[in-house]
């Protein structure tokens, strides 16, 4: 769940361009491993993550488009195998009705 603060760089009647950033808290809902895999172990799986999310948004008339990056802590932390940091890119297209 992100809590973002933003600032409008450009504000016109037709076009808005904005930036946003803030903390994000995530949690793992399911952890399925490939069949027969003995490399993964639940003791190295982190149940929740704290990170940062930032991005750029554009509003044109009643359409909105957001592009965001999210960097969080380690989902899987096995010192002998893998460093499983969480990084996500999100692209959102919306339609304003109010």
């Amino acid at each position: 769940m992100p809590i973002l603060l933003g600032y409008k760089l450009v504000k016109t009647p037709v076009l808005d361009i904005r930036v946003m950033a803030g903390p994000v808290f995530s949690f793992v809902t399911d952890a399925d491993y490939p069949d027969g895999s003995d490399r993964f172990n639940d003791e190295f799986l982190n149940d929740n993550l704290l990170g940062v999310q930032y991005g750029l948004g554009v509003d044109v008339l009643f359409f909105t488009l957001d592009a965001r990056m999210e960097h969080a802590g380690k989902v899987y932390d096995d010192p002998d195998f893998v460093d499983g940091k969480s990084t996500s890119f999100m692209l959102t297209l919306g339609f304003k009705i109010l």
Side-chain angles (χ1 to χ4, degrees):
M1 178 175 82
I3 299 173
L4 301 175
L5 296 176
Y7 180 76
K8 287 189 179 178
L9 300 172
V10 176
K11 184 175 181 176
T12 68
V14 178
L15 175 74
D16 292 337
I17 298 175
R18 54 197 156 69
V19 293
M20 69 215 68
V24 62
F25 177 76
S26 304
F27 57 94
V28 176
T29 58
D30 190 14
D32 290 332
Y33 306 122
D35 291 338
S37 175
D38 59 351
R39 293 183 181 183
F40 297 103
N41 187 333
D42 284 339
E43 78 178 87
F44 297 115
L45 182 67
N46 295 326
D47 292 347
N48 53 58
L49 305 168
L50 183 62
V52 64
Q53 193 175 100
Y54 55 91
L56 179 69
V58 178
D59 300 331
V60 179
L61 296 174
F62 46 82
F63 290 103
T64 181
L65 178 68
D66 285 351
R68 297 185 200 171
M69 281 297 295
E70 180 179 313
H71 298 279
K74 297 179 181 180
V75 175
Y76 194 80
D77 191 13
D78 181 351
D80 296 328
F81 176 59
V82 67
D83 183 14
K85 292 185 179 179
S86 174
T87 302
S88 301
F89 175 74
M90 295 156 277
L91 192 60
T92 307
L93 178 63
F95 181 80
K96 295 181 185 181
I97 56 174
L98 295 178

